[in-house]
Amino acid sequence: MKTVLPFLTKSESTFKILIILILTINNLSYAQVDVRANHPIAMPILENATIKIDSNKGYFITEIKDKVYYVTDGIYQMMFIVTIEGVIAVDAPPSIGKNILLAIKEVTNLPVKYVIYSHSHPDHIGSAGLYPTNAQYITSSKSAAELKKHNGGKNQLPFGIFVGGKPVPIPTKTFKDSLTLTVGQRTIKLLQYNRPAHSADDLIIFLPKEKIVMLVDIIYPGWVPFEQVAYAQDIDGYINLQEELLKLNFDTLVAGHWSKLGTKQDVIKNIEYINDIITALQEAFLKVDFNTTVSKADQSNINLLMEIYFDAIAKYAAEKVENKWKNILSGSDVWTYSHARKLLSFVRESGVIMNSGK
């Protein structure tokens, strides 16, 4: 008889898996009201939402335009530019790691002379130590300040360790607001966003001649954002940054995540999607009756009452938005509820009146 799990027959394995699932769901039901684990099936990924990555190679590289390349492992992205003076590398995600150097060697033997940090999060720059020590490391003064807080060895968890990275080289050149970098015949504009959005130090990397822009952790081309609005620190900033991005004259967006490149249409869709959730939440606060929603719960447990109510609000909004976007952006059925929960407090603070049935 075929063995599926070690020391277990197929029937025994099936039984064990069922028991584990029952126990898992049962435990989760105590942790949160009607959690998403109760609905583990996702809709099929939409056509053209991903690029196939050679599993043996482990990465995909292509020229965007005029010796500007991007590299992806299907989860993260980085960009590099080949100039007559050497290579300019933007970011170093640990998930791609040493494959970054292999990808660069595919197209040039020139050394990496400049390294740009898009922001201070280690999942995007944690392998920067792979680059030459004599390269010039460039980022904004905001990013440098963030790195100074987290990049040292005094933290309980070393910088980048949770994503396989390490402490990175400290910036050797910083700027406030903006910097125009001229290398050979290349012009790269670095634009520091003036308020928190995804992070405290989001940076736009713009190549005006090539009409290429890189902005990380905001847009996920072909997909809804990562959970909780991509962990945005500031929702107003997150939305406004996208509006500022649209003012630039670009054709191609390197977004930092998943496999696809983006365009202005991806930015426009993302703004519309987020605004749809906000509008649906506003409607939910007016239509979902608090007293009716929590009537079956222990009325002395305020935390439980509010969790049930907020869950109902988020579900109302998510179902409405998913119905519109399910055939437009992949993952809308997976994370729209998460985005609704994140945006719920943002909408509450805007002064929406709660429906209490009075």
Side-chain angles (χ1 to χ4, degrees):
M1 188 174 290
K2 184 179 179 182
T3 300
V4 180
L5 292 177
F7 314 114
L8 294 175
T9 64
K10 184 175 180 181
S11 59
E12 289 171 332
S13 296
T14 302
F15 177 76
K16 185 172 183 179
I17 291 169
L18 286 172
I19 292 296
I20 292 171
L21 286 173
I22 291 168
L23 290 172
T24 301
I25 292 171
N26 186 55
N27 287 336
L28 285 169
S29 67
Y30 283 100
Q32 182 182 345
V33 177
D34 198 15
V35 293
R36 294 288 282 191
N38 295 334
H39 312 284
I41 306 302
M43 291 180 59
I45 296 171
L46 298 176
E47 188 178 357
N48 300 323
T50 62
I51 291 172
K52 187 175 181 180
I53 309 296
D54 184 337
S55 58
N56 293 320
K57 190 175 184 180
Y59 66 93
F60 173 84
I61 175 177
T62 193
E63 183 177 16
I64 303 171
K65 185 178 181 180
D66 298 339
K67 296 186 177 180
V68 180
Y69 301 83
Y70 93 108
V71 182
T72 179
D73 61 353
I75 303 173
Y76 284 84
Q77 301 175 2
M78 63 83 60
M79 178 174 74
F80 69 90
I81 307 150
V82 179
T83 78
I84 59 174
E85 296 182 20
V87 174
I88 304 167
V90 186
D91 284 353
S95 73
I96 308 177
K98 293 179 180 179
N99 283 337
I100 295 171
L101 301 182
L102 294 177
I104 293 173
K105 284 188 181 245
E106 282 191 32
V107 298
T108 183
N109 290 318
L110 291 170
V112 174
K113 288 291 188 74
Y114 300 88
V115 178
I116 298 170
Y117 295 155
S118 67
H119 65 311
S120 60
H121 288 177
D123 59 323
H124 288 276
I125 66 171
S127 282
L130 293 171
Y131 297 132
T133 56
N134 62 349
Q136 188 170 78
Y137 290 80
I138 305 169
T139 195
S140 70
S141 54
K142 285 186 178 181
S143 288
E146 290 296 312
L147 284 171
K148 188 175 181 180
K149 289 191 290 185
H150 304 297
N151 191 38
K154 296 181 180 179
N155 297 316
Q156 186 175 2
L157 289 176
F159 184 83
I161 192 170
F162 77 101
V163 289
K166 298 178 181 179
V168 300
I170 62 172
T172 54
K173 184 176 181 64
T174 62
F175 63 92
K176 183 179 180 181
D177 298 329
S178 66
L179 173 70
T180 298
L181 182 64
T182 302
V183 182
Q185 297 179 335
R186 298 282 187 178
T187 299
I188 301 101
K189 292 184 178 290
L190 306 180
L191 309 171
Q192 173 65 65
Y193 188 50
N194 60 8
R195 62 180 293 179
H198 163 70
S199 69
D201 52 306
D202 299 296
L203 183 66
I204 296 173
I205 299 96
F206 180 44
L207 285 72
K209 182 180 177 182
E210 295 83 0
K211 295 185 178 180
I212 298 169
V213 69
M214 183 169 179
L215 177 63
V216 172
D217 281 335
I218 302 291
I219 312 296
Y220 291 69
W223 296 75
V224 302
F226 197 73
E227 69 161 348
Q228 299 178 48
V229 195
Y231 299 144
Q233 286 191 16
D234 184 292
I235 298 300
D236 277 322
Y238 174 84
I239 295 171
N240 292 340
L241 176 53
Q242 295 172 74
E243 293 169 349
E244 289 299 313
L245 183 64
L246 289 174
K247 295 177 182 179
L248 298 177
N249 183 19
F250 71 92
D251 296 326
T252 305
L253 167 69
V254 182
H257 273 294
W258 300 175
S259 59
K260 284 186 61 178
L261 293 169
T263 67
K264 278 195 171 185
Q265 282 303 310
D266 290 292
V267 183
I268 292 168
K269 285 180 184 177
N270 197 66
I271 293 173
E272 183 181 351
Y273 170 74
I274 294 298
N275 282 333
D276 280 353
I277 298 175
I278 292 171
T279 300
L281 284 168
Q282 291 170 336
E283 181 179 308
F285 272 114
L286 295 174
K287 289 192 174 183
V288 176
D289 179 68
F290 177 82
N291 292 326
T292 302
T293 302
V294 304
S295 61
K296 296 180 181 180
D298 177 1
Q299 300 297 299
S300 66
N301 190 333
I302 303 302
N303 284 358
L304 177 61
L305 298 181
M306 297 310 298
E307 170 59 24
I308 292 170
Y309 178 62
F310 289 151
D311 180 62
I313 293 289
K315 279 188 173 181
Y316 178 101
E319 287 172 5
K320 185 167 187 176
V321 174
E322 285 171 23
N323 188 54
K324 173 181 175 180
W325 288 92
K326 63 185 179 182
N327 295 318
I328 303 172
L329 294 177
S330 288
S332 64
D333 59 316
V334 176
W335 271 333
T336 300
Y337 174 85
S338 171
H339 300 325
R341 286 301 297 249
K342 171 81 172 186
L343 291 165
L344 194 149
S345 61
F346 173 77
V347 172
R348 284 180 65 211
E349 291 164 6
S350 68
V352 173
I353 299 172
M354 181 177 74
N355 183 352
S356 60
K358 295 179 180 179

